[in-house]
Amino acid sequence: GERTLCRVRNRILPFVVLLYFFAYLDRNNVGFAQKALSADVGLTATVFGFGAGVFFIGYALFEVPSNGAMHRFGARKWLARILISWGICATAMALVQGPASFSVLRFLLGAAEAGFFPAIVLYLTLWFPAAQRVGMLGIFILAQPIANAIGAPLSGLLLELDGALGLAGWQWLFIAEGLPAILLGFVVPFVMTDHPRDATWLADDERKWLTRTMDTEDRRKRAEGDHSFLAGLKDRRALIFAALYFGLVFGIYGLGLWMPTIVAELGDFSSLQVGLIVFVPYGIAAVWTYLWGRHSDRRRERVAHSAVSMVLGAVGLVAAGYLLQVGPVLALAALTLAAMGIYSAIAPFLEMPAAAFAGAAAASGIALVNSIGNLGGFAAPYAVGALNDATGDSRAGLVLLGAVLAVTAVATYLYGRRTGAGRPPEDRNNQPDRTDIQGEPSS
């Protein structure tokens, strides 16, 4: 079994991490372009925050239908469609002329990318048993801090191309970072496989073992209740997880979209220098995210791992707010702590809804969690931008982000402990369940 999972891991994970790297880069690179873009086309911090966040309105509206289409047509075809359409919209960001076009293109980018993240989360549930899945999710989610870490100096370099061939630096940034998604969209059908039974790249005994293992796990989850597509949308657990995920996402994108601006406040830095400094917290966070995911798998525990990480993120954000005026080194250390906490919370948290649903309900339930939860990506940049305009610095915004994360940590811990969320199916079948409503098995 371990040999088979190793081959699957080596085949699937590097490619999906690469895809998510560009997805995250294309949705967050607007944070690196913010200063030059705002100056060129006339965006206030509030307008920028709204435009940056409206991405998630388009994302939320099309998330559930997109994951339904992926369940129907398969990962190969649907993910190729997503990549090509979002690459076109990401590249078109170079055409921004003012506040209206900025907001419209960000909305379209969100609509085009909708479904990508939950589709991959769903895809991993088809290939990896629940007991190993947080480690796999953790590796996949590494693309977030890695995209920010590598994207920071890369975006800084692209911004230095200002004036080349008559284009502004921020236009070069959107073009150079948007085109790879289009190209990768044409590669997806040749690399990805929809189901283990179709994996001709596995030996016969490996393919049969994996198909049997995943089918057995799926049957265990199906035995717990209705797992139709509509059932996933009506399940109260999906709504609760979505509300909790909103709080986590609030911290993720509040930090991610404003990190370059916050770092710029620490001193008089060029675009490239800002990018190199931003690399530090995200690089450290990437390593920690991997190690924390592995630890969660070894302990077979999700609730405390996600809650503790959120508390760590909250402490780092609030500390950064108060240390901005004290010293750049201390403020950067606090931002690093915040990034470590925020990104390491994602994988153990998402395994909770992933372990709860099977079949078509997994497609709809995971998409609903991601859809509603990602509205936090709209609320956070807008709220932080408005606070920055009102106060003239980043402290109030960082404290708000920290407070939301802290409340989310407490709520996640209390709900997770009460329901036994995130336990693998075999653990649920071998131990007495704790349920909070009739027919709602702990997961």
Short mmCIF file of all heavy atoms in Angstrom, two decimals, residues 370-407:
data_model
loop_
_atom_site.label_atom_id
_atom_site.label_comp_id
_atom_site.label_asym_id
_atom_site.label_seq_id
_atom_site.Cartn_x
_atom_site.Cartn_y
_atom_site.Cartn_z
N ASN A 370 -16.21 26.09 0.73
CA ASN A 370 -15.23 26.99 0.10
C ASN A 370 -15.89 28.25 -0.44
O ASN A 370 -15.33 29.35 -0.37
CB ASN A 370 -14.50 26.26 -1.02
CG ASN A 370 -13.14 26.85 -1.31
OD1 ASN A 370 -12.32 26.99 -0.40
ND2 ASN A 370 -12.90 27.21 -2.55
N SER A 371 -17.09 28.11 -0.97
CA SER A 371 -17.80 29.24 -1.57
C SER A 371 -18.15 30.30 -0.54
O SER A 371 -17.78 31.48 -0.67
CB SER A 371 -19.08 28.74 -2.25
OG SER A 371 -19.84 29.81 -2.75
N ILE A 372 -18.86 29.89 0.51
CA ILE A 372 -19.24 30.84 1.56
C ILE A 372 -18.01 31.30 2.33
O ILE A 372 -17.85 32.48 2.64
CB ILE A 372 -20.27 30.20 2.49
CG1 ILE A 372 -21.56 29.89 1.72
CG2 ILE A 372 -20.57 31.13 3.67
CD1 ILE A 372 -22.61 29.15 2.53
N GLY A 373 -17.13 30.34 2.64
CA GLY A 373 -15.93 30.69 3.40
C GLY A 373 -15.07 31.72 2.71
O GLY A 373 -14.55 32.64 3.35
N ASN A 374 -14.96 31.62 1.39
CA ASN A 374 -14.10 32.54 0.67
C ASN A 374 -14.66 33.95 0.55
O ASN A 374 -13.97 34.86 0.08
CB ASN A 374 -13.78 31.98 -0.72
CG ASN A 374 -12.49 31.18 -0.71
OD1 ASN A 374 -11.41 31.71 -0.50
ND2 ASN A 374 -12.61 29.87 -0.91
N LEU A 375 -15.92 34.15 0.98
CA LEU A 375 -16.42 35.52 1.07
C LEU A 375 -15.60 36.32 2.09
O LEU A 375 -15.59 37.55 2.06
CB LEU A 375 -17.90 35.53 1.44
CG LEU A 375 -18.84 35.00 0.35
CD1 LEU A 375 -20.28 34.94 0.87
CD2 LEU A 375 -18.76 35.87 -0.90
N GLY A 376 -14.92 35.60 2.98
CA GLY A 376 -13.99 36.27 3.88
C GLY A 376 -12.87 36.95 3.11
O GLY A 376 -12.29 37.94 3.56
N GLY A 377 -12.57 36.41 1.93
CA GLY A 377 -11.56 37.02 1.06
C GLY A 377 -12.05 38.32 0.45
O GLY A 377 -11.23 39.12 -0.02
N PHE A 378 -13.36 38.53 0.41
CA PHE A 378 -13.90 39.83 0.00
C PHE A 378 -13.95 40.79 1.17
O PHE A 378 -13.54 41.95 1.07
CB PHE A 378 -15.31 39.67 -0.57
CG PHE A 378 -16.04 40.97 -0.76
CD1 PHE A 378 -15.70 41.83 -1.79
CD2 PHE A 378 -17.04 41.35 0.13
CE1 PHE A 378 -16.36 43.04 -1.95
CE2 PHE A 378 -17.70 42.56 -0.01
CZ PHE A 378 -17.36 43.41 -1.06
N ALA A 379 -14.43 40.29 2.31
CA ALA A 379 -14.63 41.17 3.47
C ALA A 379 -13.31 41.69 4.03
O ALA A 379 -13.21 42.88 4.39
CB ALA A 379 -15.40 40.40 4.55
N ALA A 380 -12.28 40.84 4.09
CA ALA A 380 -11.03 41.24 4.75
C ALA A 380 -10.29 42.36 4.03
O ALA A 380 -9.96 43.37 4.65
CB ALA A 380 -10.12 40.01 4.91
N PRO A 381 -10.01 42.25 2.72
CA PRO A 381 -9.30 43.35 2.06
C PRO A 381 -10.07 44.66 2.11
O PRO A 381 -9.48 45.73 2.28
CB PRO A 381 -9.15 42.86 0.60
CG PRO A 381 -9.27 41.39 0.68
CD PRO A 381 -10.24 41.13 1.79
N TYR A 382 -11.40 44.57 1.97
CA TYR A 382 -12.21 45.79 2.01
C TYR A 382 -12.17 46.43 3.40
O TYR A 382 -11.98 47.65 3.54
CB TYR A 382 -13.65 45.46 1.61
CG TYR A 382 -14.53 46.68 1.52
CD1 TYR A 382 -14.32 47.65 0.54
CD2 TYR A 382 -15.58 46.87 2.41
CE1 TYR A 382 -15.12 48.78 0.45
CE2 TYR A 382 -16.39 47.99 2.33
CZ TYR A 382 -16.16 48.94 1.34
OH TYR A 382 -16.96 50.06 1.27
N ALA A 383 -12.31 45.60 4.44
CA ALA A 383 -12.30 46.12 5.80
C ALA A 383 -10.94 46.71 6.16
O ALA A 383 -10.84 47.79 6.74
CB ALA A 383 -12.67 45.01 6.79
N VAL A 384 -9.87 45.99 5.80
CA VAL A 384 -8.52 46.49 6.09
C VAL A 384 -8.24 47.76 5.31
O VAL A 384 -7.66 48.72 5.84
CB VAL A 384 -7.47 45.40 5.78
CG1 VAL A 384 -6.06 45.97 5.90
CG2 VAL A 384 -7.63 44.21 6.72
N GLY A 385 -8.65 47.82 4.05
CA GLY A 385 -8.46 49.03 3.25
C GLY A 385 -9.19 50.22 3.84
O GLY A 385 -8.64 51.34 3.92
N ALA A 386 -10.43 50.01 4.28
CA ALA A 386 -11.21 51.10 4.87
C ALA A 386 -10.57 51.58 6.17
O ALA A 386 -10.49 52.80 6.43
CB ALA A 386 -12.64 50.64 5.12
N LEU A 387 -10.07 50.63 6.99
CA LEU A 387 -9.40 51.02 8.23
C LEU A 387 -8.10 51.75 7.96
O LEU A 387 -7.74 52.70 8.67
CB LEU A 387 -9.15 49.78 9.09
CG LEU A 387 -10.37 49.20 9.80
CD1 LEU A 387 -10.04 47.85 10.44
CD2 LEU A 387 -10.87 50.17 10.89
N ASN A 388 -7.38 51.31 6.92
CA ASN A 388 -6.13 52.00 6.56
C ASN A 388 -6.42 53.44 6.14
O ASN A 388 -5.68 54.37 6.51
CB ASN A 388 -5.43 51.26 5.42
CG ASN A 388 -4.73 50.01 5.89
OD1 ASN A 388 -4.79 49.66 7.07
ND2 ASN A 388 -4.08 49.30 4.98
N ASP A 389 -7.47 53.65 5.35
CA ASP A 389 -7.84 55.00 4.94
C ASP A 389 -8.25 55.86 6.14
O ASP A 389 -7.93 57.04 6.23
CB ASP A 389 -8.99 54.96 3.93
CG ASP A 389 -8.49 54.76 2.50
OD1 ASP A 389 -7.28 54.97 2.25
OD2 ASP A 389 -9.31 54.38 1.64
N ALA A 390 -8.99 55.24 7.07
CA ALA A 390 -9.53 56.00 8.21
C ALA A 390 -8.47 56.36 9.23
O ALA A 390 -8.52 57.43 9.84
CB ALA A 390 -10.64 55.19 8.87
N THR A 391 -7.48 55.47 9.42
CA THR A 391 -6.50 55.67 10.48
C THR A 391 -5.13 56.12 9.98
O THR A 391 -4.33 56.65 10.75
CB THR A 391 -6.31 54.38 11.30
OG1 THR A 391 -5.79 53.35 10.44
CG2 THR A 391 -7.64 53.91 11.88
N GLY A 392 -4.84 55.86 8.70
CA GLY A 392 -3.56 56.26 8.14
C GLY A 392 -2.44 55.26 8.36
O GLY A 392 -1.31 55.51 7.95
N ASP A 393 -2.72 54.12 9.02
CA ASP A 393 -1.70 53.08 9.16
C ASP A 393 -2.38 51.71 9.19
O ASP A 393 -3.60 51.60 9.10
CB ASP A 393 -0.80 53.29 10.39
CG ASP A 393 -1.57 53.21 11.70
OD1 ASP A 393 -2.43 52.33 11.83
OD2 ASP A 393 -1.30 54.03 12.60
N SER A 394 -1.56 50.65 9.37
CA SER A 394 -2.07 49.29 9.24
C SER A 394 -2.46 48.65 10.57
O SER A 394 -2.95 47.51 10.58
CB SER A 394 -1.00 48.40 8.57
OG SER A 394 -0.67 48.88 7.30
N ARG A 395 -2.26 49.33 11.68
CA ARG A 395 -2.44 48.68 12.98
C ARG A 395 -3.87 48.19 13.19
O ARG A 395 -4.10 47.02 13.56
CB ARG A 395 -2.07 49.64 14.11
CG ARG A 395 -2.31 49.02 15.49
CD ARG A 395 -1.99 49.98 16.62
NE ARG A 395 -0.59 50.36 16.62
CZ ARG A 395 -0.04 51.21 17.49
NH1 ARG A 395 -0.81 51.77 18.41
NH2 ARG A 395 1.23 51.50 17.42
N ALA A 396 -4.84 49.05 12.97
CA ALA A 396 -6.23 48.68 13.23
C ALA A 396 -6.65 47.49 12.38
O ALA A 396 -7.36 46.58 12.86
CB ALA A 396 -7.15 49.87 12.97
N GLY A 397 -6.22 47.47 11.12
CA GLY A 397 -6.56 46.36 10.23
C GLY A 397 -5.98 45.05 10.73
O GLY A 397 -6.65 44.01 10.70
N LEU A 398 -4.73 45.07 11.19
CA LEU A 398 -4.09 43.85 11.68
C LEU A 398 -4.75 43.35 12.97
O LEU A 398 -4.91 42.13 13.16
CB LEU A 398 -2.60 44.10 11.92
CG LEU A 398 -1.75 44.26 10.64
CD1 LEU A 398 -0.35 44.76 10.99
CD2 LEU A 398 -1.66 42.93 9.89
N VAL A 399 -5.14 44.27 13.83
CA VAL A 399 -5.83 43.87 15.07
C VAL A 399 -7.18 43.24 14.73
O VAL A 399 -7.59 42.24 15.34
CB VAL A 399 -6.00 45.08 16.00
CG1 VAL A 399 -6.91 44.74 17.18
CG2 VAL A 399 -4.64 45.56 16.51
N LEU A 400 -7.90 43.82 13.77
CA LEU A 400 -9.18 43.24 13.34
C LEU A 400 -8.98 41.83 12.82
O LEU A 400 -9.72 40.90 13.18
CB LEU A 400 -9.82 44.12 12.26
CG LEU A 400 -11.07 43.53 11.59
CD1 LEU A 400 -12.21 43.41 12.60
CD2 LEU A 400 -11.49 44.38 10.40
N LEU A 401 -7.98 41.62 11.96
CA LEU A 401 -7.70 40.29 11.41
C LEU A 401 -7.40 39.30 12.54
O LEU A 401 -7.89 38.17 12.54
CB LEU A 401 -6.52 40.35 10.45
CG LEU A 401 -6.71 41.18 9.17
CD1 LEU A 401 -5.39 41.25 8.40
CD2 LEU A 401 -7.80 40.59 8.29
N GLY A 402 -6.60 39.74 13.50
CA GLY A 402 -6.25 38.87 14.62
C GLY A 402 -7.46 38.51 15.47
O GLY A 402 -7.62 37.36 15.90
N ALA A 403 -8.34 39.48 15.70
CA ALA A 403 -9.53 39.22 16.52
C ALA A 403 -10.46 38.21 15.84
O ALA A 403 -10.98 37.29 16.49
CB ALA A 403 -10.27 40.53 16.77
N VAL A 404 -10.66 38.35 14.53
CA VAL A 404 -11.52 37.42 13.80
C VAL A 404 -10.93 36.01 13.86
O VAL A 404 -11.65 35.02 14.07
CB VAL A 404 -11.71 37.88 12.34
CG1 VAL A 404 -12.41 36.80 11.52
CG2 VAL A 404 -12.52 39.17 12.29
N LEU A 405 -9.61 35.89 13.68
CA LEU A 405 -8.97 34.57 13.74
C LEU A 405 -9.10 33.95 15.13
O LEU A 405 -9.33 32.74 15.26
CB LEU A 405 -7.49 34.70 13.38
CG LEU A 405 -7.07 34.46 11.93
CD1 LEU A 405 -5.56 34.56 11.81
CD2 LEU A 405 -7.54 33.09 11.44
N ALA A 406 -8.96 34.76 16.17
CA ALA A 406 -9.05 34.23 17.53
C ALA A 406 -10.45 33.69 17.81
O ALA A 406 -10.61 32.61 18.39
CB ALA A 406 -8.69 35.33 18.53
N VAL A 407 -11.47 34.43 17.42
CA VAL A 407 -12.85 33.97 17.61
C VAL A 407 -13.09 32.68 16.82
O VAL A 407 -13.73 31.74 17.32
CB VAL A 407 -13.84 35.07 17.18
CG1 VAL A 407 -15.27 34.53 17.15
CG2 VAL A 407 -13.76 36.27 18.12
#
